[in-house]
Amino acid sequence: MMTTIEQRISEGSRAREVLENEAYQQAFSAIESEITEKWKNSPARDAEGREKLWMYLAMLKKFKNQLDTTLETGKLAQLDLEHRQSLMHRLKSW
């Protein structure tokens, strides 16, 4: 499904709201620290448990990366829209 430039800008704005939200940042950091500590303190013989913790951490980072990508896509869409508007303005005044 193709998204419009306005949808990408809106989604980017919503992603920014999440990423800049203090509660989100604290929760993300706490979860990341908890998983990392559990992994560090797990016995080496518990390969299955360590693998699950690694997967949890990878999924947590993937979630954040998706929000970061959405934010960047929104920023680029905003720049594209501004560029298009500038071109239209120049064409009209020409």
Side-chain angles (χ1 to χ4, degrees), residues 33-46 49-50 53:
S33 293
E34 180 182 347
I35 293 169
T36 302
E37 282 304 308
K38 284 183 178 184
W39 181 81
K40 285 179 183 178
N41 295 323
S42 65
R45 68 182 178 283
D46 185 12
R50 292 170 65 91
L53 289 168

Side-chain angles (χ1 to χ4, degrees), residues 12-52:
S13 177
R14 289 195 308 266
R16 181 174 68 292
E17 290 170 6
V18 171
L19 289 166
E20 292 177 355
N21 182 287
E22 192 173 317
Y24 165 81
Q25 292 171 355
Q26 290 173 352
F28 185 92
S29 180
I31 293 168
E32 183 178 38
S33 293
E34 180 182 347
I35 293 169
T36 302
E37 282 304 308
K38 284 183 178 184
W39 181 81
K40 285 179 183 178
N41 295 323
S42 65
R45 68 182 178 283
D46 185 12
E48 184 179 335
R50 292 170 65 91
E51 180 70 18
K52 283 183 182 178

Side-chain angles (χ1 to χ4, degrees), residues 34-91:
E34 180 182 347
I35 293 169
T36 302
E37 282 304 308
K38 284 183 178 184
W39 181 81
K40 285 179 183 178
N41 295 323
S42 65
R45 68 182 178 283
D46 185 12
E48 184 179 335
R50 292 170 65 91
E51 180 70 18
K52 283 183 182 178
L53 289 168
W54 182 87
M55 286 177 21
Y56 294 155
L57 191 58
M59 287 303 298
L60 184 66
K61 289 181 179 186
K62 185 172 184 158
F63 175 76
K64 184 176 183 300
N65 286 339
Q66 182 61 43
L67 285 171
D68 288 333
T69 298
T70 302
L71 171 61
E72 292 304 315
T73 299
K75 287 179 182 178
L76 290 173
Q78 181 65 44
L79 289 172
D80 187 28
L81 180 63
E82 290 169 5
H83 178 70
R84 290 178 188 192
Q85 289 172 340
S86 174
L87 287 175
M88 290 300 292
H89 179 70
R90 283 190 227 161
L91 283 173

